[in-house]
Amino acid sequence: MPLTTGDPLPSWNEGPAKEAILAYIARITNAESPDFLPSPERIAVFDNDGTLWPEHPLPFQAAFAIDELSSRIPREPHLAADPMVQAALAGDLAKLLEGPRYEGLLQILALTHAGMSVDAFRRTVEAWLVSARHPRFDRPYDALTYLPMQELLRYLQANNFKNFIVSGGGVDFMRVWVERVYGIPPEQVVGSTARTTFELGAAGPVLTKTLDYLFVNDKGGKPVGIHQFIGRRPTLCCGNSDGDHEMLQYTTINNPRPSFGLLVHHTDPEREYAYAAKSTSTGKLVEALAAAPSRGWCVVDMKEDWNRVFEVD
Amino acid sequence: MPLTTGDPLPSWNEGPAKEAILAYIARITNAESPDFLPSPERIAVFDNDGTLWPEHPLPFQAAFAIDELSSRIPREPHLAADPMVQAALAGDLAKLLEGPRYEGLLQILALTHAGMSVDAFRRTVEAWLVSARHPRFDRPYDALTYLPMQELLRYLQANNFKNFIVSGGGVDFMRVWVERVYGIPPEQVVGSTARTTFELGAAGPVLTKTLDYLFVNDKGGKPVGIHQFIGRRPTLCCGNSDGDHEMLQYTTINNPRPSFGLLVHHTDPEREYAYAAKSTSTGKLVEALAAAPSRGWCVVDMKEDWNRVFEVD
């Protein structure tokens, strides 16, 4: 039986999404059921941006990079003359993504995510989380996680799931705060990575961030990252966009274990945002959402299914 | 206090190595001590070949590759004409390691560790473990783990350490059997990796092994792999060779947390092997062993410190 008392998901309205989650957990924790899932196989993977916290008006890591560039310009005025820095400060993502190899974005990453020790990078992210505020909600970014998803994380953990973040975001960026914010330890984060270099300096060991061997943990890269870091197939997967489509497929299609796929649909412009019903480029319904009915994935209608969005609404 | 009753390390003789291990665990589990280590920081990393099981006459994964080639030659006779396959079958490691990029070794890896699905590779390794026997001990390879190190793994786990394998071996090779053999789940294995490719085929999702973006998790690569996969500094590290030197440095030098380094020294030609006292190429004491006294690393003298080596001696 599920290992909780009372309603484990109080921020979820009664309805098909909540029912589907509770029914799945009841099924796989019932030792008498043929669908019983042994604890080591209870691997849950969560996208982060748009699934556990918002991704508008920009992914929060992009906001970090922009704030970081802004704060450095007084000390490093040459940055202001760089057209890619100008594009970043103007929020011109299209310009940064021009070219087949996204040179603009890589240049911004090189300026803000490489060339420093992992410890120095950690301190920079920590300082940013303390000082920065989300432009619309006027709160620290890490105070903006979705309360219903936090409840789901805790409910799964109480039922012996091991929760992993599987995000396109940089793993070093996320590991700074995931343990405090989600109760997920750093070693349970799969994200975009590049190699560090190791050196034993006079003050001790130093790992320095580079952009070498960049691995982008998105779309088809997510199952690849899951295999590389976790090494077994998840049984529960939560996402919100086409970046999560392949990991939803990997989790649920022809999985010999009983599995569960979930998509957060952003339908609430009042409390959060409304988007992704249609892809802006093709006008089609986002592929993963379009596939949900035939795949049996649970679509969470944020406006209908959640009675609260944030810890403090 | 340490969370065990009785002697947690019965295969270890009384002596400085056993004393040092017990003293470290007593110190970091004592909530009254300034050296108390909170459970999430109890990260232990273990080399595998030569530290948890033997690496002679060949690393066991090399024995797997050779056996795999031998078994395929009747069906794929062209393999027998390949000079690198011939070198592998003759155990001529020097030839495989010729050239700046180890083309011979890469060719053997391409034949035995790439081009198949991760599921097919897993089945091949499982079948090999059932059929193959170690040439000297005449037992399945996975029956040859060191009993004293198994006791140490269990003792650490009982004291809330999270144990990770950090090996130069291939992660896909190790993940097949680590849970059964060491009680370590697949997601706690850091090893050499290459990327897979993801495809949704008619029968479901398929991950195919390649040699692209090969990462060799050895020497300076071990701290890099630890950072990439675990994301925090270990506090306990066990190795046996210069391949482990950098991860011992990373674990113990100027670590703000109380840390422990251990080297298994192969001194027992009767029950196991005697080697590594001196590097064969330079005639010097192996660097990591030579550094042990000044670094305070615990050197385990297999002959003196272990009253049993294997489960069945």
Side-chain angles (χ1 to χ4, degrees), chain A residues 290-309:
Chain A
S294 68
R295 296 294 186 200
W297 297 332
C298 169
V299 176
V300 175
D301 182 318
M302 193 179 266
K303 187 171 178 177
E304 297 298 320
D305 286 319
W306 290 355
N307 60 57
R308 292 173 66 187
V309 173

Side-chain angles (χ1 to χ4, degrees), chain A residues 162 172 175 179 187-188 193 195-196 203 205 207 214 224 227-232 249-250 253-254, chain B residues 162 172 175 179 187-188 193 195-196 200 203 205 207 214 224 227-232 249-250 253-254:
Chain A
K162 207 179 232 188
D172 287 335
R175 281 177 173 158
E179 190 151 37
E187 59 270 22
Q188 287 165 222
T193 54
R195 283 189 202 166
T196 55
L207 287 167
L214 186 65
V224 171
H227 176 73
Q228 182 156 2
F229 281 74
I230 306 178
R232 53 180 151 194
Q249 294 172 335
Y250 182 52
I253 298 180
N254 288 7
Chain B
K162 207 180 233 189
D172 288 334
R175 280 176 174 159
E179 191 151 36
E187 60 270 21
Q188 287 165 222
T193 53
R195 283 189 202 166
T196 56
L200 182 59
L207 288 167
L214 187 66
V224 171
H227 177 73
Q228 182 156 1
F229 281 73
I230 308 177
R232 53 180 150 195
Q249 294 172 336
Y250 182 52
I253 298 180
N254 288 6

